[in-house]
């Protein structure tokens, strides 16, 4: 049973517009959420995170929103740039579990069109 | 960039042969992880380690074993490789502190013929 779901395998956005990537989770014990970005032939790189005590975290062009009641988070990229074209993975962690494991979604491939 | 290297970066092997992948870190992080990435599956945890000689299974551990004899090295072994183990393997490290991200290595592309 998939605990972290990214239901859109791909997304195309025009350069300069907003990109919105969505993620849903089912495990109510998850309390820390991360977004990773992955270019082809490279390892994933950490982008931004949010703790369950917050509903928004912002870092430059990237903002993550968390709706705990809906078990939903989203990553907003404004403005989108061609260099943002990559696969984005949502991940979640249960900090109380002690193993610091991350559970990943299947990823969304973002294409930013110049 | 976190100091994580993986070797080899690419490997082609035959079904039934043993394969060992190495992850080396220079960050002295306590936790190390092995993931595999497959189309349609995202990243799935194989095994992880929370200290020297301390390891545990992840979501897809069948057919894999691990060892950690030094803080800096985490080995993933396929005792008898199968075609279903063709994948890209990523190592990751973290400090183990609450709400800390994991840092990933560059990956190893393994093809089992």
């Amino acid at each position: 049973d998939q605990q972290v779901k990214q239901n859109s395998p791909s997304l195309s956005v025009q350069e300069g517009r907003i990109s919105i990537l969505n993620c849903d989770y089912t495990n109510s014990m998850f309390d820390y959420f991360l977004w990773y970005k992955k270019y082809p032939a490279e390892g994933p790189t950490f982008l931004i995170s949010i703790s369950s005590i917050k509903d928004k975290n912002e870092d430059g062009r990237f903002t993550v929103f968390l709706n705990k009641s809906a078990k939903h988070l989203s990553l907003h990229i404004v403005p989108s740039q061609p260099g943002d074209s990559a696969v984005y993975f949502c991940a979640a962690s249960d900090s109380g579990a002690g193993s610091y494991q991350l559970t990943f979604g299947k990823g969304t491939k973002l294409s930013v069109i110049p | 960039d976190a100091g994580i290297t993986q070797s080899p970066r690419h490997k082609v092997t035959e079904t039934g042969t043993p394969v060992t992948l190495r992850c080396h870190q220079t960050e002295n992080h306590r936790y190390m992880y092995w993931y595999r990435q497959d189309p349609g599956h995202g990243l799935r945890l194989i095994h992880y380690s929370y200290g020297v000689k301390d390891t545990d299974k992840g979501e897809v551990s069948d057919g894999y074993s691990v060892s950690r004899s030094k803080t800096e090295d985490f080995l993933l072994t396929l005792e008898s490789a199968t075609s279903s183990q063709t994948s890209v393997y990523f190592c990751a490290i973290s400090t183990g502190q609450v709400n800390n991200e994991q840092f990933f290595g560059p990956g190893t592309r393994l093809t089992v013929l």
Side-chain angles (χ1 to χ4, degrees), chain A residues 31-32 34 36 38 41-46 49 51 87 89 95 98-107, chain B residues 9 31 33 35 37 40-43 45 48 57-58 90 94 96-106:
Chain A
D31 58 0
Y32 187 59
L34 308 89
Y36 281 82
K38 186 184 179 307
E42 295 183 10
T45 55
F46 169 73
S49 63
S51 167
V87 177
F89 290 100
S95 61
S99 61
Y100 309 107
Q101 293 184 44
L102 294 180
T103 301
F104 285 84
K106 294 182 178 182
Chain B
R9 294 293 314 277
Y31 280 74
Y33 308 82
Y35 292 88
Q37 186 198 4
H41 288 279
L43 290 152
L45 181 66
Y48 69 97
K57 296 178 180 179
F90 290 102
S94 77
Q97 294 174 9
V98 174
N99 292 353
N100 264 32
E101 62 268 27
Q102 293 180 14
F103 299 98
F104 283 80

Side-chain angles (χ1 to χ4, degrees), chain A residues 5-96:
Chain A
K5 300 178 184 178
Q6 293 178 257
N7 291 321
S8 298
S10 62
L11 174 68
S12 289
V13 172
Q14 208 72 30
E15 180 179 3
R17 306 293 293 267
I18 184 171
S19 295
I20 300 176
L21 294 90
N22 294 303
C23 178
D24 297 292
Y25 62 96
T26 57
N27 188 340
S28 58
M29 298 303 293
F30 288 150
D31 58 0
Y32 187 59
F33 305 89
L34 308 89
W35 285 93
Y36 281 82
K37 175 179 179 179
K38 186 184 179 307
Y39 292 120
E42 295 183 10
T45 55
F46 169 73
L47 193 57
I48 192 169
S49 63
I50 187 167
S51 167
S52 60
I53 61 173
K54 295 185 176 181
D55 54 18
K56 176 183 175 181
N57 189 26
E58 195 170 353
D59 184 2
R61 296 186 297 114
F62 303 91
T63 303
V64 56
F65 296 91
L66 175 63
N67 182 334
K68 283 186 295 182
S69 61
K71 294 191 177 67
H72 177 84
L73 61 155
S74 61
L75 175 68
H76 293 213
I77 307 173
V78 183
S80 300
Q81 299 174 354
D84 296 329
S85 296
V87 177
Y88 289 79
F89 290 100
C90 171
S93 174
D94 170 7
S95 61

